[in-house]
Amino acid sequence: MDSLGALFAFVHAADADGFTEAGRKLGVSASAVSKAVARLEDRLGARLFHRSTRSVKLTPEGALFLERCRRILCEYEAAELELSRSRATPQGKLRVSLPSMSMIPMAKLAAFKRRHPEIELDLDATDRLVDVIAEGFDVVLRTGEHTDSRLMTRTLGYFRQALVGSPDYFRQMGKPETPEDLARHTCLVYRFANTGKLHQWPLSRSGEPAQPEIQPSVVTNSLEAQIGLAESGLGIACVPDLSVAEHLQRGSLVRILDAYVEVQTKLSVMWPASRYASPKLRAFVDFAAEEFLKAANN
């Protein structure tokens, strides 16, 4: 068991690029982690880290050993979970990072919570690229292309932005026929909380950008608020189509200028490769895939 503890210390130190953060996650001192790794190096007869006063970096031998350690610890966690009947039901805290312009509305997450009441959801909605492992997330939803050898990835599918407004709004103001017509309409624009930048509506014509003069009437950093304002007839919003699938189906929102939104964006769910897919993690991944397919088919 001392050897197993040393492996845990080594993997956490490698993921955190240091002993202090690894010790914090393991609930021990940085010195204890450093000593455990030193004993492991003595036993192996090989140096696993290059150490300096500012950081620790894997040696080539350490990088090779790390991949084996991940597999060993995954097998250990798998065996531990299989032998623990109490873990058969998804339960425990699940830290989730999702885009601030989330593809899964809060109502869907509420449905997930009702389905799995013993899972404690810790949600972090942000427009920055989080470090999944260093920040201790169990699972993240990400848009676009990402490569990280430390993470397992399941592609959920692809989505597009949708320009939407209420039927009442279009009865009063008319429907825009071209991107340029938006200059005469009330627009509800999303502001990214971390950067302060306004969301640029991805309109194009035959592959060339078509950026109209948009005068924001309302600016918000809440996707839910943006959708709600559009549904109330206060203007046109540009939002991920999956986030308004149900609104479009029931007719409370109408989609416009769809021919001018050509770009598709990939949506993926990702989790640490070194972590066994626990019931709570599997439940969330399956839920995300189910909701994406349901929305895409509406």
Side-chain angles (χ1 to χ4, degrees), residues 24-292:
R24 186 185 67 80
K25 292 184 177 180
L26 291 169
V28 298
S29 67
S31 175
V33 175
S34 177
K35 289 177 181 178
V37 172
R39 289 194 298 271
L40 182 59
E41 289 176 322
D42 289 342
R43 193 156 50 242
L44 295 171
R47 182 174 290 278
L48 301 176
F49 288 112
H50 293 302
R51 296 165 173 81
S52 72
T53 55
R54 294 186 176 181
S55 65
V56 296
K57 297 294 182 183
L58 286 168
T59 63
E61 295 80 8
L64 182 65
F65 188 58
L66 177 62
E67 296 308 310
R68 284 294 181 104
C69 287
R70 291 195 196 282
R71 291 196 289 271
I72 291 169
L73 295 181
C74 280
E75 287 298 317
Y76 172 77
E77 289 185 11
E80 186 179 52
L81 286 170
E82 287 174 357
L83 292 174
S84 175
R85 294 181 63 187
S86 65
R87 297 295 293 277
T89 300
Q91 60 181 285
K93 186 175 183 178
L94 187 71
R95 290 201 68 208
V96 183
S97 175
L98 58 161
S100 54
M101 294 186 76
S102 176
M103 306 306 109
I104 300 181
M106 289 301 116
K108 297 296 185 183
L109 292 173
F112 173 80
K113 179 63 178 173
R114 284 192 292 270
R115 188 186 304 178
H116 302 289
E118 295 185 43
I119 294 179
E120 177 192 345
L121 280 177
D122 185 343
L123 304 174
D124 181 75
T126 179
D127 54 50
R128 68 183 179 85
L129 187 65
V130 302
D131 188 320
V132 181
I133 294 173
E135 296 183 48
F137 287 102
D138 295 299
V139 62
V140 298
L141 287 174
R142 281 188 176 167
T143 60
E145 298 291 341
H146 298 280
T147 56
D148 190 332
S149 61
R150 302 174 303 164
L151 303 179
M152 296 290 290
T153 301
R154 180 173 175 180
T155 299
L156 299 177
Y158 294 80
F159 69 93
R160 289 192 300 162
Q161 297 291 316
L163 273 67
V164 297
S166 74
D168 284 344
Y169 175 84
F170 291 127
R171 273 193 292 269
Q172 293 178 25
M173 305 298 296
K175 283 187 180 181
E177 299 296 331
T178 68
E180 290 72 23
D181 292 342
L182 290 171
R184 300 190 296 273
H185 283 264
T186 302
C187 297
L188 313 169
V189 181
Y190 184 88
R191 185 196 301 276
F192 292 100
N194 283 2
T195 64
K197 294 182 178 179
L198 299 182
H199 177 221
Q200 296 297 309
W201 295 7
L203 298 169
S204 59
R205 184 185 283 109
S206 301
E208 295 297 321
Q211 293 297 326
E213 291 289 335
I214 294 176
Q215 297 299 324
S217 172
V218 177
V219 175
T220 176
N221 63 0
S222 166
L223 181 63
E224 296 282 330
Q226 191 184 19
I227 294 171
L229 291 169
E231 199 172 22
S232 298
L234 294 184
I236 298 171
C238 180
V239 297
D241 56 5
L242 294 178
S243 66
V244 290
E246 292 187 359
H247 303 75
L248 295 171
Q249 188 177 33
R250 65 175 178 256
S252 62
L253 288 175
V254 176
R255 195 166 181 164
I256 61 165
L257 299 179
D258 208 33
Y260 296 94
V261 184
E262 302 171 347
V263 177
Q264 289 189 324
T265 304
K266 184 164 77 171
L267 177 65
S268 305
V269 59
M270 310 174 81
W271 64 94
S274 60
R275 194 165 300 167
Y276 176 71
S278 63
K280 63 183 180 181
L281 176 57
R282 288 200 307 271
F284 186 84
V285 171
D286 290 344
F287 162 80
E290 172 190 327
E291 289 302 324
F292 184 95

